[in-house]
Amino acid sequence: MTSSPHPPSETPAAEPLNFPTKLAYGAGDLGPAITANLLAFFLLYFLTSVAGLNAALAGSVLMIGKVWDAINDPLVGVLSDRTQSRWGRRYPWMVLGAIPFGVFFFLQWIVPSFSPDPAANQWGLFWYYVIISIFFNMAYTAVNLPYTALTPEMTQDYNERTSLNSFRFAFSIGGSIFSLILAQVIFGLISDGRQQYLLLGLLCAVISVLPIYWCVWGTYQRTMGNKAGESKDSEEANIPFKEQLRIVFSNRPFLYVIGIYLCSWLAVQITAAIIPYFVVNWMGLPNQAFTQVALAVQGTALVTLFFWSAVSDRVGKRIVYFLGAGLWILVQGGLFFLQPGQVGLMYGLAIAAGFGVSTAYLVPWSMVPDVIELDELRTGQRREGIFYGFMVLLQKLGLALGLFLVGNALDQASFIESVPGQPTPLQPESALFAIRVAIGPIPTVSLILGLVLAYFYPISREIHAAILLRLRERRQGITPPDDPTDPINTL
C-alpha cells in the first residue's frame, strides 16, 4: 500500500477506547481463529481420508508444521519489535502477510497429482503439504503475532486491557463456532469429499483475510496516536538477542503468566483432544454429538467473556481466574464420574465448562501487557513482540508434549483404533479408564497448578498503577526518590 488510511490524531493514552475501535481490534483474531480451528479438527482426517496420504506421513506433516510454527514465533516477535515504518512496528506485517495467509490456507485443501505411481505420488503429496504447511505457518505468525502485540500499544489502562481482550476472544470463539457450523452446512450440501474441503477452504480463506484489514483500518489512528506516549528509548538500537532472552526470563511476573497460560491451555487442549473418544467410546453416542458438545462449550465461553470482563473491572484479574478455574475444576471432576446414559448432565457440564474456558482466553492475555510495562520500567525499552512470541512458543511446545503423552497413554492402555467403514470397536476397560483419566484428573491437576501460580502472581491493580506512574515520571524527566520498601522493587 502507498498511503495510510488516515493521519493519526493526538489521542491521549488515557482517553477511553470507543466501541468501533474495540470491535475492529477484536476482528483481527477472527481469521486466525477460523483457520486454526479447522486445521485442528479436520486437517489430519483430510490428509488421510481425502488426499489419501499415508497416516504416518500425514502425522509427520503436522509435526513439521507445528515445530516450525513454534520456531518462527520468537523470530517474528523480534523482527516486529525492530521494524520501523510510518505504519509503526506491527501493521506492515499484518498488511503484507494477510494475502499469503489466506492463499496458503486455501492451498492446504487442494489434492494435486504428481505421478501415476502410487508410491511416488505419496512422496509428492507429502512434500507438497509440508511446504504449504511451512509457508502457511510463516504467514499465520506474520499476521497473528504482531496483532497480539498491539494490545499494550492501544491502551495502558488496567481494566481496558481486559475489556479489549474480551472483544478479541469474542471474535476468536465466535470464529471457531462459525467454522464448525459452516463445515456442517457444506458437508450436508456436497457429497464429494474433495469438493467439500475445497469449498470450505476457499470460503474460510476469504472470510479470514478481510477482517485483518478491518483491524488495521479501525485501530491505526488510536495506536499511532499513542506513539507520542511511548518511551523514547524504545526506538534506540536493540540489544543482542541473547540478552533480550535473559531479560525476558528474568521478569518474574512474566514467568507466572506463562505458567498460568500453559496450565489453562493444557487443560483446554487435552480435553478437546479426548472429547471425541469420551463422547463416542465412553458415552456411546454418535460422532455428531462431539460437535454439539464442542459448540456448547464454545458458545458459553463466548457469552461469558463479557461477563468475566465486567467482573474483572470490580475484583481484578486474579479473582476472576480463581472463580472461573474453580468452577472448571468441578466440571472436569464431574466428567470423570459421568456414566453412559447421563447425556443431559453431560451437556450441562459442557455449558458450565464454558464459564471456565472463557477465563483461559481472557485472563492470561490481559496480564501480558502488565509485565511488558514492568520490563520497560526496568530497561527503558518496549519489547512486546519478544514477550508475546516466547509466550506462544512455550505454549505450543508445552501443549505438544502434553498431547504426545496423552496419545501414548491411550496406546499403552490398549486403545483399539477404528477402521474406516467398520462399526466403532468396543474398547477394553483399560482404554475406557484411560479416557476418563485424561478428561478428568489430568486437566484438574493442571488447573490446580494454575490456581497456585495465579495466587502468587505479584502484579495487582495497585502495583500496575504504580508502574505506570513511574513510567510517566520518567518521560517527564522526574527521578523518584529511592524507596527500598516500594513493592515494585520486589518484582
Side-chain angles (χ1 to χ4, degrees), residues 314-335:
R314 289 181 170 270
V315 301
K317 300 168 187 176
R318 282 194 299 182
I319 299 300
V320 163
Y321 186 78
F322 291 151
L323 295 172
L327 176 60
W328 195 359
I329 288 171
L330 296 177
V331 170
Q332 300 292 160
L335 289 172

Side-chain angles (χ1 to χ4, degrees), residues 64-87:
I64 293 170
K66 180 63 70 176
V67 170
W68 175 247
D69 191 25
I71 291 173
N72 68 31
D73 282 329
L75 297 178
V76 172
V78 172
L79 291 174
S80 72
D81 277 345
R82 296 179 178 181
T83 298
Q84 296 184 12
S85 76
R86 61 175 176 173
W87 283 78

Side-chain angles (χ1 to χ4, degrees), residues 265-337:
W265 279 98
L266 194 59
V268 170
Q269 294 295 326
I270 289 177
T271 303
I274 209 70
I275 274 182
Y277 305 100
F278 182 80
V279 171
V280 174
N281 299 114
W282 175 248
M283 298 298 292
L285 298 174
N287 290 326
Q288 295 87 338
F290 153 64
T291 303
Q292 296 169 3
V293 171
L295 286 172
V297 175
Q298 294 285 68
T300 305
L302 173 62
V303 172
T304 54
L305 270 177
F306 298 96
F307 165 76
W308 287 126
S309 179
V311 174
S312 176
D313 288 346
R314 289 181 170 270
V315 301
K317 300 168 187 176
R318 282 194 299 182
I319 299 300
V320 163
Y321 186 78
F322 291 151
L323 295 172
L327 176 60
W328 195 359
I329 288 171
L330 296 177
V331 170
Q332 300 292 160
L335 289 172
F336 176 76
F337 293 105

Side-chain angles (χ1 to χ4, degrees), residues 30-42 101 105 136 140 176 179:
L30 182 64
I34 290 175
T35 56
N37 193 61
L38 288 178
L39 294 175
F41 279 105
F42 297 119
F101 166 69
F105 175 75
F136 169 75
Y140 181 98
S176 299
S179 64

